[in-house]
Amino acid sequence: MTAVHKTKWFLPLFSVALGLVFLGALWTGGDRRGGLEALAVMVATGFLVLAGGRSELIRGLRGDGRDAYWQRIDIHATVLAGNVAIGAITGVAYILAVGALRWRS
């Protein structure tokens, strides 16, 4: 883990930065209220991560409470996410192939 990720401020500040990106994107798309709501949700998420310093769940997500238990959870979550992504790509490829074959015939 790099020094940037070891600080307890990384995830809250990253949440606020993402909220600002959401605000800009939604405001550009004409949905100012949705952008402000997205920013509020991300600021609240960042605050909860910052304020929940003693919670084992928050510390595991933040990265400063890592041990073998959290490493195992991280590995299992990564494998599950990879399987879901592969399944989604396979499903889209199958649908495109069926559509192309039906269009050709």
Side-chain angles (χ1 to χ4, degrees):
M1 191 180 322
T2 63
V4 172
H5 293 108
K6 287 185 180 179
T7 177
K8 71 177 188 175
W9 291 97
F10 174 74
L11 197 53
L13 291 176
F14 188 69
S15 296
V16 172
L18 279 179
L20 291 171
V21 169
F22 295 157
L23 172 65
L26 287 166
W27 199 328
T28 302
D31 187 12
R32 186 183 69 185
R33 182 176 181 198
L36 291 172
E37 290 171 355
L39 176 62
V41 167
M42 294 305 291
V43 167
T45 301
F47 177 75
L48 288 175
V49 168
L50 185 63
R54 300 201 119 213
S55 167
E56 184 178 343
L57 175 64
I58 299 296
R59 289 185 65 177
L61 293 174
R62 200 168 52 199
D64 59 347
R66 301 298 260 181
D67 57 6
Y69 172 74
W70 282 104
Q71 287 175 349
R72 193 176 78 235
I73 288 176
D74 187 39
I75 289 171
H76 286 275
T78 303
V79 168
L80 179 64
N83 285 335
V84 168
I86 290 170
I89 292 168
T90 304
V92 169
Y94 175 76
I95 291 170
L96 290 176
V98 168
L101 291 174
R102 300 228 350 123
W103 181 71
R104 259 184 32 183
S105 59

